[in-house]
Amino acid sequence: MGESVLERIAAGDPAAVDECLDQYGGLVWSLVRRQLRQHDDAEDAVQEIFVDLWRSAARFDPAVASEATFVTMIARRRLIDRRRKRSRAGAPDSLTEDPAGPVLSERHSVDVAEEARQAREAMQALRPEERLVLELALLEGRTHREIAEAANMPLGTVKTHARRGLLRLRALLGVEGETTIRESIG
């Protein structure tokens, strides 16, 4: 098996950048569109996510998570950062430099890797049909109807697998409250 797109980016392969855009552009756009309504903001966010992804490519470890999971985690983190930055925009402290920036960045890297590992383990513990439905929804940004067509399942069955899978994931990950899960999928 050859190197993944992210491994090739980390190795400096210029062709891998275009492949990355082709392979994960739809996923990133679907995640961004759920969070940002303005087209200009969405374009900026997608660009920031891919720049961060290319800078972070060397941290990708296929033993920890799939490439799509890694891309999703980077995208979600960048979107969270954008939301936090907007909420602090009026604060006087936001104009000063943050001396703890590099330390937070290292901690951020460790957090992403640990969350990816935990999510991967939890996903593996699900029933195969629950895992399939959730991977299509979370990693590919597909709707329930699209999943039903792709998996050749009735729409109600897809919704049931999604609900049960999310409940099981919540229990496995120790997540409190149903709102957190709903926010994570859209």
Side-chain angles (χ1 to χ4, degrees), residues 58-91:
R59 291 192 336 242
F60 171 66
D61 182 356
V64 175
S66 72
E67 216 173 39
T69 300
F70 185 82
V71 171
T72 300
M73 293 298 284
I74 295 289
R76 288 184 187 275
R77 290 285 181 166
R78 177 57 66 183
L79 289 167
I80 289 168
D81 291 346
R82 283 180 69 86
R83 204 172 331 143
R84 286 178 181 158
K85 184 177 179 181
R86 279 191 186 153
S87 70
R88 290 191 314 247

PDB file of all heavy atoms in Angstrom, residues 58-91:
ATOM      1  N   ALA A  58       2.516  16.386   8.536  1.00  0.00           N
ATOM      2  CA  ALA A  58       3.560  15.542   9.122  1.00  0.00           C
ATOM      3  C   ALA A  58       3.090  14.883  10.424  1.00  0.00           C
ATOM      4  O   ALA A  58       3.643  13.862  10.827  1.00  0.00           O
ATOM      5  CB  ALA A  58       4.825  16.356   9.373  1.00  0.00           C
ATOM      6  N   ARG A  59       2.073  15.450  11.062  1.00  0.00           N
ATOM      7  CA  ARG A  59       1.552  14.872  12.305  1.00  0.00           C
ATOM      8  C   ARG A  59       0.584  13.720  12.055  1.00  0.00           C
ATOM      9  O   ARG A  59       0.217  13.005  12.986  1.00  0.00           O
ATOM     10  CB  ARG A  59       0.838  15.938  13.129  1.00  0.00           C
ATOM     11  CG  ARG A  59       1.762  16.974  13.691  1.00  0.00           C
ATOM     12  CD  ARG A  59       1.096  17.853  14.747  1.00  0.00           C
ATOM     13  NE  ARG A  59      -0.332  17.948  14.644  1.00  0.00           N
ATOM     14  CZ  ARG A  59      -0.995  19.075  14.414  1.00  0.00           C
ATOM     15  NH1 ARG A  59      -0.362  20.197  14.246  1.00  0.00           N
ATOM     16  NH2 ARG A  59      -2.320  19.079  14.364  1.00  0.00           N
ATOM     17  N   PHE A  60       0.132  13.563  10.813  1.00  0.00           N
ATOM     18  CA  PHE A  60      -0.818  12.493  10.509  1.00  0.00           C
ATOM     19  C   PHE A  60      -0.167  11.136  10.755  1.00  0.00           C
ATOM     20  O   PHE A  60       0.935  10.864  10.307  1.00  0.00           O
ATOM     21  CB  PHE A  60      -1.287  12.582   9.053  1.00  0.00           C
ATOM     22  CG  PHE A  60      -2.083  11.382   8.628  1.00  0.00           C
ATOM     23  CD1 PHE A  60      -3.316  11.106   9.193  1.00  0.00           C
ATOM     24  CD2 PHE A  60      -1.588  10.508   7.678  1.00  0.00           C
ATOM     25  CE1 PHE A  60      -4.042   9.986   8.813  1.00  0.00           C
ATOM     26  CE2 PHE A  60      -2.310   9.385   7.292  1.00  0.00           C
ATOM     27  CZ  PHE A  60      -3.539   9.127   7.858  1.00  0.00           C
ATOM     28  N   ASP A  61      -0.897  10.291  11.495  1.00  0.00           N
ATOM     29  CA  ASP A  61      -0.420   8.940  11.788  1.00  0.00           C
ATOM     30  C   ASP A  61      -1.545   7.964  11.450  1.00  0.00           C
ATOM     31  O   ASP A  61      -2.568   7.923  12.151  1.00  0.00           O
ATOM     32  CB  ASP A  61      -0.048   8.835  13.265  1.00  0.00           C
ATOM     33  CG  ASP A  61       0.500   7.468  13.646  1.00  0.00           C
ATOM     34  OD1 ASP A  61       0.531   6.560  12.795  1.00  0.00           O
ATOM     35  OD2 ASP A  61       0.900   7.312  14.815  1.00  0.00           O
ATOM     36  N   PRO A  62      -1.392   7.177  10.377  1.00  0.00           N
ATOM     37  CA  PRO A  62      -2.458   6.257   9.993  1.00  0.00           C
ATOM     38  C   PRO A  62      -2.760   5.195  11.049  1.00  0.00           C
ATOM     39  O   PRO A  62      -3.820   4.582  11.017  1.00  0.00           O
ATOM     40  CB  PRO A  62      -1.945   5.619   8.693  1.00  0.00           C
ATOM     41  CG  PRO A  62      -0.502   5.939   8.616  1.00  0.00           C
ATOM     42  CD  PRO A  62      -0.237   7.117   9.491  1.00  0.00           C
ATOM     43  N   ALA A  63      -1.864   4.996  11.993  1.00  0.00           N
ATOM     44  CA  ALA A  63      -2.117   4.044  13.072  1.00  0.00           C
ATOM     45  C   ALA A  63      -3.075   4.617  14.110  1.00  0.00           C
ATOM     46  O   ALA A  63      -3.685   3.879  14.881  1.00  0.00           O
ATOM     47  CB  ALA A  63      -0.802   3.644  13.746  1.00  0.00           C
ATOM     48  N   VAL A  64      -3.212   5.942  14.139  1.00  0.00           N
ATOM     49  CA  VAL A  64      -4.066   6.607  15.120  1.00  0.00           C
ATOM     50  C   VAL A  64      -5.469   6.840  14.566  1.00  0.00           C
ATOM     51  O   VAL A  64      -6.462   6.617  15.247  1.00  0.00           O
ATOM     52  CB  VAL A  64      -3.441   7.943  15.576  1.00  0.00           C
ATOM     53  CG1 VAL A  64      -4.374   8.706  16.494  1.00  0.00           C
ATOM     54  CG2 VAL A  64      -2.105   7.693  16.261  1.00  0.00           C
ATOM     55  N   ALA A  65      -5.553   7.307  13.322  1.00  0.00           N
ATOM     56  CA  ALA A  65      -6.853   7.630  12.740  1.00  0.00           C
ATOM     57  C   ALA A  65      -6.750   7.581  11.221  1.00  0.00           C
ATOM     58  O   ALA A  65      -5.656   7.667  10.663  1.00  0.00           O
ATOM     59  CB  ALA A  65      -7.304   9.017  13.189  1.00  0.00           C
ATOM     60  N   SER A  66      -7.898   7.488  10.583  1.00  0.00           N
ATOM     61  CA  SER A  66      -7.917   7.525   9.125  1.00  0.00           C
ATOM     62  C   SER A  66      -7.612   8.950   8.662  1.00  0.00           C
ATOM     63  O   SER A  66      -7.715   9.909   9.433  1.00  0.00           O
ATOM     64  CB  SER A  66      -9.283   7.094   8.597  1.00  0.00           C
ATOM     65  OG  SER A  66     -10.244   8.101   8.850  1.00  0.00           O
ATOM     66  N   GLU A  67      -7.251   9.066   7.416  1.00  0.00           N
ATOM     67  CA  GLU A  67      -6.952  10.377   6.852  1.00  0.00           C
ATOM     68  C   GLU A  67      -8.182  11.288   6.924  1.00  0.00           C
ATOM     69  O   GLU A  67      -8.077  12.459   7.289  1.00  0.00           O
ATOM     70  CB  GLU A  67      -6.505  10.201   5.397  1.00  0.00           C
ATOM     71  CG  GLU A  67      -5.440  11.153   4.987  1.00  0.00           C
ATOM     72  CD  GLU A  67      -4.897  10.847   3.606  1.00  0.00           C
ATOM     73  OE1 GLU A  67      -5.650  10.480   2.690  1.00  0.00           O
ATOM     74  OE2 GLU A  67      -3.680  11.000   3.455  1.00  0.00           O
ATOM     75  N   ALA A  68      -9.349  10.754   6.600  1.00  0.00           N
ATOM     76  CA  ALA A  68     -10.577  11.549   6.644  1.00  0.00           C
ATOM     77  C   ALA A  68     -10.874  12.029   8.064  1.00  0.00           C
ATOM     78  O   ALA A  68     -11.315  13.168   8.258  1.00  0.00           O
ATOM     79  CB  ALA A  68     -11.746  10.744   6.091  1.00  0.00           C
ATOM     80  N   THR A  69     -10.611  11.199   9.051  1.00  0.00           N
ATOM     81  CA  THR A  69     -10.814  11.608  10.442  1.00  0.00           C
ATOM     82  C   THR A  69      -9.857  12.731  10.806  1.00  0.00           C
ATOM     83  O   THR A  69     -10.246  13.709  11.447  1.00  0.00           O
ATOM     84  CB  THR A  69     -10.602  10.410  11.397  1.00  0.00           C
ATOM     85  OG1 THR A  69     -11.536   9.386  11.056  1.00  0.00           O
ATOM     86  CG2 THR A  69     -10.775  10.810  12.847  1.00  0.00           C
ATOM     87  N   PHE A  70      -8.614  12.621  10.388  1.00  0.00           N
ATOM     88  CA  PHE A  70      -7.619  13.655  10.650  1.00  0.00           C
ATOM     89  C   PHE A  70      -8.042  14.970  10.000  1.00  0.00           C
ATOM     90  O   PHE A  70      -8.002  16.031  10.627  1.00  0.00           O
ATOM     91  CB  PHE A  70      -6.248  13.205  10.128  1.00  0.00           C
ATOM     92  CG  PHE A  70      -5.121  14.141  10.462  1.00  0.00           C
ATOM     93  CD1 PHE A  70      -4.511  14.106  11.698  1.00  0.00           C
ATOM     94  CD2 PHE A  70      -4.674  15.064   9.531  1.00  0.00           C
ATOM     95  CE1 PHE A  70      -3.470  14.961  12.008  1.00  0.00           C
ATOM     96  CE2 PHE A  70      -3.638  15.930   9.824  1.00  0.00           C
ATOM     97  CZ  PHE A  70      -3.028  15.877  11.066  1.00  0.00           C
ATOM     98  N   VAL A  71      -8.479  14.919   8.747  1.00  0.00           N
ATOM     99  CA  VAL A  71      -8.937  16.114   8.038  1.00  0.00           C
ATOM    100  C   VAL A  71     -10.126  16.727   8.766  1.00  0.00           C
ATOM    101  O   VAL A  71     -10.189  17.947   8.972  1.00  0.00           O
ATOM    102  CB  VAL A  71      -9.292  15.786   6.566  1.00  0.00           C
ATOM    103  CG1 VAL A  71      -9.980  16.961   5.891  1.00  0.00           C
ATOM    104  CG2 VAL A  71      -8.051  15.368   5.789  1.00  0.00           C
ATOM    105  N   THR A  72     -11.062  15.889   9.189  1.00  0.00           N
ATOM    106  CA  THR A  72     -12.241  16.374   9.906  1.00  0.00           C
ATOM    107  C   THR A  72     -11.852  17.045  11.212  1.00  0.00           C
ATOM    108  O   THR A  72     -12.389  18.111  11.555  1.00  0.00           O
ATOM    109  CB  THR A  72     -13.218  15.207  10.176  1.00  0.00           C
ATOM    110  OG1 THR A  72     -13.612  14.637   8.925  1.00  0.00           O
ATOM    111  CG2 THR A  72     -14.444  15.669  10.931  1.00  0.00           C
ATOM    112  N   MET A  73     -10.938  16.450  11.947  1.00  0.00           N
ATOM    113  CA  MET A  73     -10.504  17.039  13.221  1.00  0.00           C
ATOM    114  C   MET A  73      -9.834  18.394  12.995  1.00  0.00           C
ATOM    115  O   MET A  73     -10.104  19.349  13.725  1.00  0.00           O
ATOM    116  CB  MET A  73      -9.549  16.088  13.954  1.00  0.00           C
ATOM    117  CG  MET A  73     -10.199  14.804  14.424  1.00  0.00           C
ATOM    118  SD  MET A  73     -11.508  15.072  15.613  1.00  0.00           S
ATOM    119  CE  MET A  73     -10.514  15.430  17.045  1.00  0.00           C
ATOM    120  N   ILE A  74      -8.976  18.499  11.984  1.00  0.00           N
ATOM    121  CA  ILE A  74      -8.326  19.778  11.683  1.00  0.00           C
ATOM    122  C   ILE A  74      -9.385  20.811  11.322  1.00  0.00           C
ATOM    123  O   ILE A  74      -9.351  21.952  11.802  1.00  0.00           O
ATOM    124  CB  ILE A  74      -7.292  19.618  10.533  1.00  0.00           C
ATOM    125  CG1 ILE A  74      -6.139  18.710  10.946  1.00  0.00           C
ATOM    126  CG2 ILE A  74      -6.810  20.973  10.035  1.00  0.00           C
ATOM    127  CD1 ILE A  74      -5.175  19.284  11.952  1.00  0.00           C
ATOM    128  N   ALA A  75     -10.336  20.428  10.475  1.00  0.00           N
ATOM    129  CA  ALA A  75     -11.386  21.358  10.045  1.00  0.00           C
ATOM    130  C   ALA A  75     -12.227  21.821  11.234  1.00  0.00           C
ATOM    131  O   ALA A  75     -12.478  23.017  11.398  1.00  0.00           O
ATOM    132  CB  ALA A  75     -12.269  20.705   8.986  1.00  0.00           C
ATOM    133  N   ARG A  76     -12.635  20.890  12.052  1.00  0.00           N
ATOM    134  CA  ARG A  76     -13.462  21.261  13.212  1.00  0.00           C
ATOM    135  C   ARG A  76     -12.695  22.169  14.173  1.00  0.00           C
ATOM    136  O   ARG A  76     -13.250  23.128  14.699  1.00  0.00           O
ATOM    137  CB  ARG A  76     -13.965  20.017  13.928  1.00  0.00           C
ATOM    138  CG  ARG A  76     -15.023  19.289  13.136  1.00  0.00           C
ATOM    139  CD  ARG A  76     -15.577  18.099  13.916  1.00  0.00           C
ATOM    140  NE  ARG A  76     -16.451  17.315  13.101  1.00  0.00           N
ATOM    141  CZ  ARG A  76     -17.743  17.559  12.918  1.00  0.00           C
ATOM    142  NH1 ARG A  76     -18.290  18.595  13.501  1.00  0.00           N
ATOM    143  NH2 ARG A  76     -18.473  16.775  12.150  1.00  0.00           N
ATOM    144  N   ARG A  77     -11.434  21.863  14.397  1.00  0.00           N
ATOM    145  CA  ARG A  77     -10.621  22.714  15.283  1.00  0.00           C
ATOM    146  C   ARG A  77     -10.496  24.125  14.722  1.00  0.00           C
ATOM    147  O   ARG A  77     -10.601  25.104  15.455  1.00  0.00           O
ATOM    148  CB  ARG A  77      -9.221  22.110  15.471  1.00  0.00           C
ATOM    149  CG  ARG A  77      -9.204  20.860  16.269  1.00  0.00           C
ATOM    150  CD  ARG A  77      -9.396  21.180  17.707  1.00  0.00           C
ATOM    151  NE  ARG A  77      -9.341  19.946  18.470  1.00  0.00           N
ATOM    152  CZ  ARG A  77      -9.204  19.908  19.763  1.00  0.00           C
ATOM    153  NH1 ARG A  77      -9.073  21.012  20.435  1.00  0.00           N
ATOM    154  NH2 ARG A  77      -9.187  18.762  20.383  1.00  0.00           N
ATOM    155  N   ARG A  78     -10.255  24.240  13.428  1.00  0.00           N
ATOM    156  CA  ARG A  78     -10.118  25.558  12.801  1.00  0.00           C
ATOM    157  C   ARG A  78     -11.432  26.322  12.895  1.00  0.00           C
ATOM    158  O   ARG A  78     -11.440  27.518  13.164  1.00  0.00           O
ATOM    159  CB  ARG A  78      -9.676  25.395  11.342  1.00  0.00           C
ATOM    160  CG  ARG A  78      -9.561  26.682  10.560  1.00  0.00           C
ATOM    161  CD  ARG A  78      -8.635  27.701  11.156  1.00  0.00           C
ATOM    162  NE  ARG A  78      -7.266  27.233  11.121  1.00  0.00           N
ATOM    163  CZ  ARG A  78      -6.253  27.914  11.632  1.00  0.00           C
ATOM    164  NH1 ARG A  78      -6.463  29.079  12.201  1.00  0.00           N
ATOM    165  NH2 ARG A  78      -5.046  27.447  11.574  1.00  0.00           N
ATOM    166  N   LEU A  79     -12.563  25.644  12.694  1.00  0.00           N
ATOM    167  CA  LEU A  79     -13.864  26.303  12.797  1.00  0.00           C
ATOM    168  C   LEU A  79     -14.145  26.752  14.232  1.00  0.00           C
ATOM    169  O   LEU A  79     -14.693  27.831  14.460  1.00  0.00           O
ATOM    170  CB  LEU A  79     -14.974  25.381  12.283  1.00  0.00           C
ATOM    171  CG  LEU A  79     -14.971  25.172  10.767  1.00  0.00           C
ATOM    172  CD1 LEU A  79     -15.878  24.014  10.380  1.00  0.00           C
ATOM    173  CD2 LEU A  79     -15.362  26.455  10.041  1.00  0.00           C
ATOM    174  N   ILE A  80     -13.760  25.937  15.193  1.00  0.00           N
ATOM    175  CA  ILE A  80     -13.909  26.326  16.601  1.00  0.00           C
ATOM    176  C   ILE A  80     -13.042  27.544  16.893  1.00  0.00           C
ATOM    177  O   ILE A  80     -13.485  28.491  17.553  1.00  0.00           O
ATOM    178  CB  ILE A  80     -13.559  25.152  17.540  1.00  0.00           C
ATOM    179  CG1 ILE A  80     -14.640  24.078  17.458  1.00  0.00           C
ATOM    180  CG2 ILE A  80     -13.374  25.626  18.985  1.00  0.00           C
ATOM    181  CD1 ILE A  80     -14.259  22.759  18.118  1.00  0.00           C
ATOM    182  N   ASP A  81     -11.803  27.539  16.393  1.00  0.00           N
ATOM    183  CA  ASP A  81     -10.913  28.686  16.578  1.00  0.00           C
ATOM    184  C   ASP A  81     -11.514  29.954  15.986  1.00  0.00           C
ATOM    185  O   ASP A  81     -11.449  31.024  16.593  1.00  0.00           O
ATOM    186  CB  ASP A  81      -9.543  28.429  15.951  1.00  0.00           C
ATOM    187  CG  ASP A  81      -8.737  27.369  16.688  1.00  0.00           C
ATOM    188  OD1 ASP A  81      -9.116  27.016  17.828  1.00  0.00           O
ATOM    189  OD2 ASP A  81      -7.745  26.882  16.110  1.00  0.00           O
ATOM    190  N   ARG A  82     -12.107  29.848  14.798  1.00  0.00           N
ATOM    191  CA  ARG A  82     -12.735  31.013  14.149  1.00  0.00           C
ATOM    192  C   ARG A  82     -13.896  31.530  15.002  1.00  0.00           C
ATOM    193  O   ARG A  82     -14.061  32.733  15.168  1.00  0.00           O
ATOM    194  CB  ARG A  82     -13.262  30.650  12.761  1.00  0.00           C
ATOM    195  CG  ARG A  82     -12.197  30.556  11.698  1.00  0.00           C
ATOM    196  CD  ARG A  82     -12.802  30.183  10.356  1.00  0.00           C
ATOM    197  NE  ARG A  82     -13.616  31.220   9.782  1.00  0.00           N
ATOM    198  CZ  ARG A  82     -13.156  32.221   9.035  1.00  0.00           C
ATOM    199  NH1 ARG A  82     -11.880  32.302   8.780  1.00  0.00           N
ATOM    200  NH2 ARG A  82     -13.978  33.115   8.543  1.00  0.00           N
ATOM    201  N   ARG A  83     -14.706  30.613  15.520  1.00  0.00           N
ATOM    202  CA  ARG A  83     -15.840  31.015  16.358  1.00  0.00           C
ATOM    203  C   ARG A  83     -15.350  31.723  17.619  1.00  0.00           C
ATOM    204  O   ARG A  83     -15.892  32.754  18.017  1.00  0.00           O
ATOM    205  CB  ARG A  83     -16.661  29.774  16.721  1.00  0.00           C
ATOM    206  CG  ARG A  83     -18.077  30.082  17.052  1.00  0.00           C
ATOM    207  CD  ARG A  83     -18.938  28.843  17.214  1.00  0.00           C
ATOM    208  NE  ARG A  83     -18.465  27.738  16.402  1.00  0.00           N
ATOM    209  CZ  ARG A  83     -18.492  26.468  16.770  1.00  0.00           C
ATOM    210  NH1 ARG A  83     -18.966  26.120  17.928  1.00  0.00           N
ATOM    211  NH2 ARG A  83     -18.038  25.513  15.996  1.00  0.00           N
ATOM    212  N   ARG A  84     -14.327  31.175  18.255  1.00  0.00           N
ATOM    213  CA  ARG A  84     -13.786  31.799  19.464  1.00  0.00           C
ATOM    214  C   ARG A  84     -13.185  33.165  19.157  1.00  0.00           C
ATOM    215  O   ARG A  84     -13.342  34.107  19.927  1.00  0.00           O
ATOM    216  CB  ARG A  84     -12.717  30.895  20.081  1.00  0.00           C
ATOM    217  CG  ARG A  84     -13.299  29.693  20.760  1.00  0.00           C
ATOM    218  CD  ARG A  84     -12.209  28.811  21.320  1.00  0.00           C
ATOM    219  NE  ARG A  84     -12.777  27.637  21.956  1.00  0.00           N
ATOM    220  CZ  ARG A  84     -12.134  26.516  22.154  1.00  0.00           C
ATOM    221  NH1 ARG A  84     -10.871  26.393  21.777  1.00  0.00           N
ATOM    222  NH2 ARG A  84     -12.726  25.495  22.731  1.00  0.00           N
ATOM    223  N   LYS A  85     -12.490  33.257  18.044  1.00  0.00           N
ATOM    224  CA  LYS A  85     -11.871  34.534  17.652  1.00  0.00           C
ATOM    225  C   LYS A  85     -12.941  35.598  17.440  1.00  0.00           C
ATOM    226  O   LYS A  85     -12.777  36.738  17.866  1.00  0.00           O
ATOM    227  CB  LYS A  85     -11.056  34.329  16.372  1.00  0.00           C
ATOM    228  CG  LYS A  85     -10.295  35.548  15.940  1.00  0.00           C
ATOM    229  CD  LYS A  85      -9.466  35.234  14.710  1.00  0.00           C
ATOM    230  CE  LYS A  85      -8.699  36.452  14.243  1.00  0.00           C
ATOM    231  NZ  LYS A  85      -7.910  36.165  13.036  1.00  0.00           N
ATOM    232  N   ARG A  86     -14.038  35.219  16.812  1.00  0.00           N
ATOM    233  CA  ARG A  86     -15.133  36.168  16.599  1.00  0.00           C
ATOM    234  C   ARG A  86     -15.747  36.616  17.915  1.00  0.00           C
ATOM    235  O   ARG A  86     -16.100  37.775  18.081  1.00  0.00           O
ATOM    236  CB  ARG A  86     -16.217  35.544  15.737  1.00  0.00           C
ATOM    237  CG  ARG A  86     -15.908  35.591  14.287  1.00  0.00           C
ATOM    238  CD  ARG A  86     -17.129  35.218  13.489  1.00  0.00           C
ATOM    239  NE  ARG A  86     -16.769  35.125  12.100  1.00  0.00           N
ATOM    240  CZ  ARG A  86     -17.383  34.372  11.241  1.00  0.00           C
ATOM    241  NH1 ARG A  86     -18.408  33.644  11.614  1.00  0.00           N
ATOM    242  NH2 ARG A  86     -16.999  34.338   9.993  1.00  0.00           N
ATOM    243  N   SER A  87     -15.893  35.684  18.851  1.00  0.00           N
ATOM    244  CA  SER A  87     -16.511  36.042  20.128  1.00  0.00           C
ATOM    245  C   SER A  87     -15.608  36.947  20.963  1.00  0.00           C
ATOM    246  O   SER A  87     -16.087  37.702  21.788  1.00  0.00           O
ATOM    247  CB  SER A  87     -16.891  34.788  20.915  1.00  0.00           C
ATOM    248  OG  SER A  87     -15.743  34.121  21.375  1.00  0.00           O
ATOM    249  N   ARG A  88     -14.296  36.893  20.714  1.00  0.00           N
ATOM    250  CA  ARG A  88     -13.353  37.749  21.435  1.00  0.00           C
ATOM    251  C   ARG A  88     -13.027  39.023  20.678  1.00  0.00           C
ATOM    252  O   ARG A  88     -12.257  39.844  21.155  1.00  0.00           O
ATOM    253  CB  ARG A  88     -12.042  37.008  21.667  1.00  0.00           C
ATOM    254  CG  ARG A  88     -12.125  35.888  22.649  1.00  0.00           C
ATOM    255  CD  ARG A  88     -10.738  35.396  23.007  1.00  0.00           C
ATOM    256  NE  ARG A  88      -9.889  35.211  21.846  1.00  0.00           N
ATOM    257  CZ  ARG A  88      -9.434  34.057  21.400  1.00  0.00           C
ATOM    258  NH1 ARG A  88      -9.761  32.960  22.018  1.00  0.00           N
ATOM    259  NH2 ARG A  88      -8.643  33.995  20.353  1.00  0.00           N
ATOM    260  N   ALA A  89     -13.569  39.204  19.495  1.00  0.00           N
ATOM    261  CA  ALA A  89     -13.184  40.314  18.617  1.00  0.00           C
ATOM    262  C   ALA A  89     -13.293  41.668  19.302  1.00  0.00           C
ATOM    263  O   ALA A  89     -12.458  42.538  19.070  1.00  0.00           O
ATOM    264  CB  ALA A  89     -14.016  40.301  17.345  1.00  0.00           C
ATOM    265  N   GLY A  90     -14.264  41.860  20.161  1.00  0.00           N
ATOM    266  CA  GLY A  90     -14.430  43.144  20.813  1.00  0.00           C
ATOM    267  C   GLY A  90     -13.616  43.291  22.088  1.00  0.00           C
ATOM    268  O   GLY A  90     -13.521  44.384  22.639  1.00  0.00           O
ATOM    269  N   ALA A  91     -13.015  42.223  22.568  1.00  0.00           N
ATOM    270  CA  ALA A  91     -12.264  42.271  23.824  1.00  0.00           C
ATOM    271  C   ALA A  91     -10.937  42.996  23.629  1.00  0.00           C
ATOM    272  O   ALA A  91     -10.237  42.774  22.657  1.00  0.00           O
ATOM    273  CB  ALA A  91     -12.012  40.859  24.332  1.00  0.00           C
TER     274      ALA A  91
END
